[in-house]
Amino acid sequence: MGTDDCIFCKMAAGQVPVAKVYEDDTVLAFLDIGPISDGHTLVIPRQHFERIDDCPPKLLGEVASRLGKIAGAVVAAMKSDGYNVLCNNGQAAGQLVKHLHFHIIPRNAGDGVFKRWPAYKYPQGKPEAIAEAIRKNL
Ligand code: AMP
Ligand code: ZN
């Protein structure tokens, strides 16, 4: 997908209306149109990159540096107990819009938003092998 047919690029360019939460020269934050809790907010860089791993580190840092301020305002306004920051990267991870974005999802105790966290245990030796494989790709 190019930037011409990217809905979030159109939002950043002011061509599509948004319920704006915050904006500056680098990022735009707006309410998710399909919230999983009230105040569910998306934070995007204005510039189009698809994923965390293809976004230049400087820009990624600039986007990340805004998350605390925006999340603090979201949870204060929603009077929520906490929040999740979520970034889906790739279709397999649930990314539907191919423009990098961070979800800020207000949470309250017992809200059941993420009911299942499918944790399991590694067999002996596997964590070391996986960590080595990751290090080799850095
Ligand atoms: P993801 O699955 O991480 O790609 O999430 C994309 C998010 O974008 C979903 O939660 C959608 O509800 C949201 N979304 C898609 N189109 C719009 C839109 N026009 N305005 C606001 N949020 C949108
Ligand atoms: Zn885009």
Side-chain angles (χ1 to χ4, degrees), residues 2-3 6-9 48-49 98-99:
T3 57
C6 172
I7 180 81
F8 286 2
C9 280
H48 183 96
F49 291 97
K98 293 183 174 176
H99 182 130

Side-chain angles (χ1 to χ4, degrees), residues 7-8 11 16-19 30-36 40 42 86-89 93-99 101 103:
I7 180 81
F8 286 2
M11 290 175 173
V16 170
V18 294
F30 53 89
L31 291 187
D32 193 305
I33 204 171
I36 59 173
H40 181 167
L42 300 177
L86 180 67
C87 180
N88 299 323
N89 292 266
Q95 184 176 15
L96 298 174
V97 178
K98 293 183 174 176
H99 182 130
H101 54 279
H103 297 255

